[in-house]
Amino acid sequence: MSSKLLAVLLLSLPFSVTATTDPLKAPAKPKNIVIMVGDGMGPAYTSAYRYFKDNPDTEEIEQTVFDRLLAGMASTYPARVSGYVTDSAAAATALATGHKTYNGAISVDVNKSPLPTLFEQARDVGLATGIAVSSQINHATPAAFLSHNESRKNYEEIAHAYLESDAQVLLGGGQRYFDEALLAQFTARGYTHLTDIQALSTVQSGKVLGLFAEVQLPWVIDNPGLNQLSTLTTKALELLSQHDKGFVLLVEGSLIDWAGHDNDIVTAMGEMDEFARAIEVVEEFVRSRGDTLMVVTADHNTGGLSLGAEGQYEWNAALLRGITASPESMSSRIIGSEDWQAQLQTNLGFELSEDELDSLTKARPQGQGVLADAIKKIIDTRSFTGWTSGGHTALDVQVFAQGPASGLFIGQQDNTEIAQKLMSLLPKPKKAEIAPTAPSVTLPPAPASQETISESTVQSEGEAESSESVADENEASGAPLSPELNESSK
């Protein structure tokens, strides 16, 4: 099969077509770009989420938003100096700049020199930018799109660097890192500063800095119905879409990764559910407008999650659906309670065995962390959930896409290629204009004889003809003839 025919077939696949009422009228390039990152969301997480959301009363296993939008896969390895397993900083740098770097780097190369980011390039051509995340807004992933630093751990430096980002929307957690002096600088630059997510509905336009938690937003499973990330995503789209030239938005389901580090399958599914809800918000925005590209991926895989363990051909999603609180919150509530067994069994949704109660009784005196781990072990054992690590792994991750140019993301690619493709879809910087050369005219001296005037007139007419010839040549060669912008260069 020829490469041209293969390209035509790939571009004809359903998920490469913008979901508009008339796909034939969809633009070749998007006006707006939304990149969404499920931090730590390796392939096992999206599979687990499918079974977690499955309706047990139906014969079929229902599709999720991830099944609908799947386009390809991406490798995630960092620069050679850091081996094969990336951290969030190096992976986010790859997604933000199109370059590999060392683990811990925030949009700088291996020599610690700044790398141009997608957001910077978008800003330079007049697009608005913004972020909506469930971690602190100066955490590794958003930081790589908005700043440059040799270490992701320099949270205060990164927070100060956001002043120069000119991002219109900054939504998430992180109150700890923004002192009063820094907040005053943001306010002086026109930002509305909020700490109550309910007040977000009052913001109708302009720049906004919303810091809704001391560090990260609360766990989804412990706050059913709050829907914070999808709320932030909705408001970000509302504000950014007011910019006529378009926008680039980053949305991150940050805490999927944090649950993965904790080897906490129950909390991870809660975070996956809210991230999926945020994707559906953007999916509807894409459908309704037809001018927006959405690309969803993960920066890496966390925890080495497996669905099935201990040699058993089973994974018990139904048990997970019955649990109503995170192991962290369960342990904090029962560690000092006399009636702890009944409380715990209510939250778990199942009756504990004598051996399980014995393990928890031994764990309680050792502190909340040890008790939470003992609860997670019971959940893993009963659900046949496995973990290989408390850190990251080197697995490839999935890529999901919808909207104009979504066909670019079909198949296998590197994470740096995702950034490069997104950058290629930005409007092109307008070339500097060359002012047209004015024709020189020799004015006749006064007074003068009739003969002299005639010579001057002839000379002026000749130079005018010469100028017209130059203008014709300029037009033929594409040189600008007026200061008006050439819209076709976008």
Side-chain angles (χ1 to χ4, degrees):
M1 182 183 294
S2 70
S3 59
K4 288 185 178 180
L5 179 56
L6 178 60
V8 169
L9 290 173
L10 288 175
L11 289 172
S12 69
L13 290 174
F15 45 74
S16 70
V17 178
T18 304
T20 63
T21 55
D22 188 353
L24 296 177
K25 294 182 179 179
K29 283 189 176 184
K31 176 182 179 181
N32 313 306
I33 295 173
V34 182
I35 179 168
M36 306 185 73
V37 177
D39 199 318
M41 187 185 70
Y45 286 80
T46 56
S47 296
Y49 182 67
R50 180 195 301 127
Y51 306 134
F52 178 74
K53 295 297 287 185
D54 178 43
N55 182 355
D57 296 328
T58 64
E59 184 66 26
E60 71 276 7
I61 296 174
E62 293 79 15
Q63 281 195 336
T64 68
V65 66
F66 300 104
D67 297 316
R68 288 199 302 272
L69 301 177
L70 181 63
M73 298 291 291
S75 49
T76 64
Y77 55 87
R80 175 65 73 176
V81 66
S82 292
Y84 299 128
V85 181
T86 189
D87 81 333
S88 291
T93 296
L95 291 170
T97 72
H99 292 275
K100 299 288 187 184
T101 192
Y102 61 91
N103 284 344
I106 298 294
S107 287
V108 296
D109 63 20
V110 292
N111 298 314
K112 301 183 179 180
S113 297
L115 295 163
T117 70
L118 173 67
F119 272 31
E120 288 169 337
Q121 293 185 31
R123 179 194 63 197
D124 290 347
V125 294
L127 275 63
T129 59
I131 62 168
V133 302
S134 52
S135 66
Q136 60 266 42
I137 64 170
N138 53 336
H139 203 250
T141 301
F145 284 82
L146 290 167
S147 64
H148 307 273
N149 203 287
E150 67 178 36
S151 174
R152 59 181 290 175
K153 296 179 181 178
N154 294 330
Y155 289 116
E156 285 78 12
E157 291 180 14
I158 292 168
H160 279 80
Y162 281 13
L163 275 170
E164 306 305 323
S165 72
D166 198 34
Q168 279 72 20
V169 176
L170 299 166
L171 303 175
Q175 295 169 3
R176 174 186 299 178
Y177 307 103
F178 291 77
D179 59 27
E180 290 301 321
L182 180 55
L183 291 173
Q185 294 182 67
F186 273 98
T187 301
R189 297 198 182 195
Y191 286 86
T192 298
H193 170 227
L194 301 174
T195 56
D196 180 3
I197 197 168
Q198 301 302 320
L200 194 57
S201 61
T202 66
V203 179
Q204 302 302 318
S205 61
K207 296 181 178 180
V208 59
L209 171 65
L211 303 173
F212 305 114
E214 180 71 8
V215 185
Q216 80 277 12
L217 301 184
W219 294 120
V220 171
I221 190 173
D222 294 327
N223 297 272
L226 198 57
N227 300 339
Q228 288 197 329
L229 184 60
S230 54
T231 298
L232 300 185
T233 301
T234 300
K235 178 56 68 170
L237 290 171
E238 176 190 326
L239 295 174
L240 291 172
S241 60
Q242 296 175 20
H243 293 263
D244 292 339
K245 291 186 177 180
F247 64 83
V248 179
L249 169 65
L250 167 72
V251 178
E252 184 189 33
S254 319
L255 305 187
I256 300 167
D257 173 65
W258 296 24
H261 280 291
D262 289 344
N263 289 176
D264 184 346
I265 186 61
V266 174
T267 304
M269 288 301 98
E271 297 305 312
M272 285 290 295
D273 199 33
E274 180 58 14
F275 185 54
R277 191 174 290 110
I279 295 172
E280 288 172 341
V281 167
V282 181
E283 184 183 27
E284 180 56 33
F285 184 88
V286 171
R287 284 194 184 125
S288 65
R289 292 177 58 103
D291 63 357
T292 302
L293 168 66
M294 171 177 63
V295 177
V296 185
T297 191
D299 49 355
H300 53 72
N301 180 60
T302 300
L305 170 64
S306 68
L307 312 183
E310 305 300 329
Q312 298 299 310
Y313 287 34
E314 185 176 354
W315 192 64
N316 191 349
L319 178 135
L320 303 179
R321 289 193 289 269
I323 299 173
T324 59
S326 68
E328 180 182 289
S329 66
M330 283 189 272
S331 63
S332 68
R333 287 199 291 264
I334 69 172
I335 196 163
S337 173
E338 293 296 326
D339 189 29
W340 66 271
Q341 296 182 14
Q343 291 184 50
L344 181 58
Q345 290 181 139
T346 297
N347 287 142
L348 288 173
F350 56 83
E351 187 174 343
L352 294 162
S353 68
E354 289 299 323
D355 288 344
E356 290 168 339
L357 287 170
D358 183 57
S359 68
L360 294 169
T361 300
K362 293 176 180 178
R364 285 181 73 227
Q366 300 180 61
Q368 182 180 334
V370 175
L371 180 56
D373 286 343
I375 295 171
K376 286 183 286 187
K377 184 175 180 180
I378 291 170
I379 293 171
D380 286 345
T381 300
R382 286 200 174 223
S383 64
F384 302 99
T385 299
W387 303 91
T388 66
S389 174
H392 299 173
T393 70
L395 287 183
D396 290 0
V397 296
Q398 293 163 304
V399 181
F400 313 85
Q402 183 185 41
S406 57
L408 291 174
F409 302 90
I410 295 171
Q412 178 65 30
Q413 60 219 283
D414 187 63
N415 54 7
T416 56
E417 293 178 273
I418 295 175
Q420 292 160 10
K421 292 169 185 177
L422 292 176
M423 288 174 174
S424 74
L425 296 172
L426 295 174
K428 301 303 179 187
K430 292 181 173 61
K431 296 179 180 179
E433 296 182 15
I434 303 172
T437 304
S440 59
V441 178
T442 304
L443 297 178
S449 65
Q450 183 66 36
E451 180 178 90
T452 303
I453 293 174
S454 299
E455 289 178 358
S456 299
T457 302
V458 171
Q459 181 180 10
S460 177
E461 291 174 350
E463 291 179 353
E465 290 176 2
S466 175
S467 297
E468 290 172 3
S469 298
V470 171
D472 291 340
E473 291 175 5
N474 285 344
E475 183 176 6
S477 64
L481 300 177
S482 73
E484 296 177 359
L485 299 179
N486 184 355
E487 291 298 323
S488 65
S489 67
K490 290 184 179 179

